[in-house]
Amino acid sequence: MLRFAPSPTGDMHIGNLRAAIFNYIIAKQKDKKFLIRIEDTDLSRNIEGKDKEILSTLNLFGLLWDELIYQSHNFPKHRNFADYLIKKNKAFYCYCTKEFLERKKQEALELKIPFRYDNSWAEIQKSQNPNPVIRLKGSDEPICFNDSIKGDLEFAPNELDSFVILREDGIPTYNFACACDDMIYNIDFIVRGEDHVSNTPKQILVQKSLDYDKEIGYAHLPIILGETGKKMSKRDSASSVNWLLEQGFLPQAIINYLISMGNKTPVEIFSLEDALKWFDINHIAKSPVKFDIKRLRYINREHLKKLDENQIALLLNSKDITIGAIAKLYLEEASTLNEIRKKIDMIFSPKNIMAEYEGESFEGECKKLFKVLCAMEAENTECLNQYETFKNEAMQRSDLKGKKFFKPLRILLSGESHGVDLNSLYPYLRFYLKKILQIKGEE
Ligand code: GLU
């Protein structure tokens, strides 16, 4: 089984989504089940409703799961495992108070040596502390594992002291719960962010101590850097999946982009379904990758181009296929649904004829042409049926020529002085002329 294990403690980050996509793909490729495990062990950090939000995001991206569990439901199982480890003498009660450990940490700091828990401290404070924690005994041997992206990794015994697996309130620690659950659900392979590399030896040690000898495969994904080359933080809006969706990036384009980051793909534009055929986690580059929104925009535009007029109209919340057709024309210059929406809004909003367009004012010409176009619209003669005849008639009646005609015409029809070819656009505007012909101040 493969799993994706989000914590319901914040918005979904693109790094999380990337891990979810890769785990999903590998599950499909190996014909294994895909489990979603909501890691809600840190009760104080859980945010109400985040679990549902994450699930609906996964759904939207087509990352459908076979099983869903909440880690906290397994707390009784985790406690049984901890008891078992105590019985087998692989774990022990530790009565150290927080103050005592703080003091020891301070001493290590002053001596400039790394702080390591010393097993001999376990019962020093037995009489003062009625609520001991349970610690797993550290390892005498190095812990090694192979990472499909980072290669062979080894952690020396002194890097793994006896760490807490069950807190004083009986709640399992993150690493313990995670390691137990990966065992319980027979997880085969784990893709996750590289911030978890240092957790992996601890989790392997838990499983070894529980006599679990299945070798789980790992792939730790390099971090994603922001445009400035620093680690992308929650403050970078583009790191939030919700933000990208709000901007009008399509789920299929985001998936395409996240799969191609730090990866050589056989084609540039593809679907999740296509990637199932060739995706190989071993090909993901080791080095951190920069989030390139320009590239995502390009990919998004390519995916938008694949949609037909009806599909785009629906994404723009319109049942009108004409809107979809106009949107497709605007794909020449717009890359997201929001950008398209803005362009279409401009067509149907009162035009600002007083503004300067590329440093020039066309106010007088716009006024003149506006009157002509309104009259033509009201007369509703055949010349409106085609751009050529419409344009010729308008030119003749307004007595405007060249730039002084075309710029105002474009401004009055689209709200901009440059852009999509009017010849292609006009057929879709033709039946909306009354609505389109409005100017600011005269609404
Ligand atoms: N809950 C962890 C996270 O969101 C998942 C770690 C894992 O996949 O093991 O980063």
Side-chain angles (χ1 to χ4, degrees), residues 351-355 357 361-363 366-367 411-412 439:
K351 315 297 179 300
N352 184 2
I353 62 167
M354 261 119 74
Y357 290 88
S361 164
F362 296 96
E363 190 180 347
C366 280
K367 269 193 184 146
I411 293 167
L412 291 172
I439 54 178

Side-chain angles (χ1 to χ4, degrees), residues 93-354:
Y93 288 102
C94 161
Y95 295 84
C96 294
T97 59
K98 291 210 171 63
E99 297 73 29
F100 174 88
L101 291 173
E102 215 28 70
R103 223 167 40 238
K104 290 290 180 192
K105 273 183 198 154
Q106 203 52 42
E107 281 171 23
L109 204 69
E110 278 158 23
L111 292 169
K112 296 199 169 72
I113 51 169
F115 170 78
R116 292 276 176 257
Y117 178 86
D118 185 329
N119 292 2
S120 69
W121 300 339
E123 300 202 350
I124 294 180
Q125 294 185 301
K126 195 165 180 177
S127 57
Q128 296 161 48
N129 186 2
N131 299 314
V133 298
I134 296 182
R135 284 180 187 267
L136 183 74
K137 278 192 183 163
S139 175
D140 303 328
E141 301 159 14
I143 303 256
C144 310
F145 68 93
N146 177 271
D147 186 292
S148 299
I149 297 174
K150 296 182 174 297
D152 288 327
L153 298 176
E154 183 175 321
F155 293 79
N158 70 354
E159 290 180 69
L160 285 173
D161 54 6
S162 301
F163 60 93
V164 178
I165 55 173
L166 216 65
R167 298 194 183 92
E168 58 275 10
D169 56 5
I171 303 285
T173 55
Y174 167 69
N175 278 313
F176 187 56
C178 183
C180 291
D181 286 344
D182 286 337
M183 260 174 59
I184 298 172
Y185 296 93
N186 189 18
I187 299 302
D188 296 281
F189 195 87
I190 297 173
V191 184
R192 58 185 171 193
E194 100 179 336
D195 44 331
H196 289 285
V197 169
S198 59
N199 287 328
T200 307
K202 290 185 178 176
Q203 294 170 10
I204 292 176
L205 184 60
V206 168
Q207 290 161 351
K208 272 194 170 170
S209 308
L210 285 165
D211 302 318
Y212 189 67
D213 52 21
K214 171 168 177 162
E215 212 171 292
I216 299 177
Y218 292 91
H220 288 92
L221 299 172
I223 53 169
I224 300 180
L225 304 174
E227 313 252 275
T228 57
K230 288 208 196 89
K231 184 179 170 182
M232 226 181 180
S233 78
K234 293 225 166 83
R235 264 167 287 143
D236 291 292
S237 38
S239 73
S240 150
V241 176
N242 282 345
W243 184 85
L244 292 172
L245 292 170
E246 278 159 24
Q247 294 303 302
F249 287 102
L250 300 173
Q252 56 270 43
I254 300 175
I255 287 188
N256 185 154
Y257 177 64
L258 292 178
I259 293 176
S260 47
M261 272 179 119
N263 190 6
K264 278 205 185 71
T265 57
V267 281
E268 206 173 28
I269 304 299
F270 51 83
S271 66
L272 180 60
E273 208 56 37
D274 297 334
L276 297 182
K277 293 181 211 118
W278 45 253
F279 178 78
D280 184 349
I281 193 80
N282 296 294
H283 293 164
I284 298 289
K286 267 195 204 111
S287 42
V289 269
K290 234 186 195 176
F291 184 80
D292 182 352
I293 196 141
K294 282 200 208 90
R295 176 131 188 91
L296 174 59
R297 288 168 57 79
Y298 163 73
I299 292 175
N300 200 51
R301 193 195 298 196
E302 293 305 308
H303 279 272
L304 282 166
K305 282 185 192 164
K306 287 178 177 234
L307 303 179
D308 65 27
E309 285 85 351
N310 270 320
Q311 289 167 319
I312 298 207
L314 281 177
L315 288 172
L316 294 167
N317 290 331
S318 167
K319 290 201 184 91
D320 187 345
I321 189 168
T322 314
I323 295 294
I326 297 177
K328 278 194 81 87
L329 289 176
Y330 271 101
L331 281 177
E332 265 177 36
E333 45 184 88
S335 304
T336 65
L337 290 171
N338 276 9
E339 289 172 7
I340 296 174
R341 231 173 249 132
K342 259 194 211 145
K343 299 280 182 193
I344 295 178
D345 279 352
M346 278 164 90
I347 295 177
F348 292 100
S349 307
K351 315 297 179 300
N352 184 2
I353 62 167
M354 261 119 74

Side-chain angles (χ1 to χ4, degrees), residues 8-41:
T9 53
D11 276 358
M12 191 128 142
H13 181 279
I14 46 167
N16 305 129
L17 180 60
R18 193 160 175 243
I21 296 168
F22 292 172
N23 282 305
Y24 173 87
I25 294 179
I26 298 170
K28 295 290 147 199
Q29 288 176 333
K30 293 184 185 244
D31 205 14
K32 303 264 179 192
K33 288 202 162 149
F34 181 49
L35 166 78
I36 303 293
R37 181 171 80 217
I38 305 284
E39 297 206 319
D40 55 350
T41 48

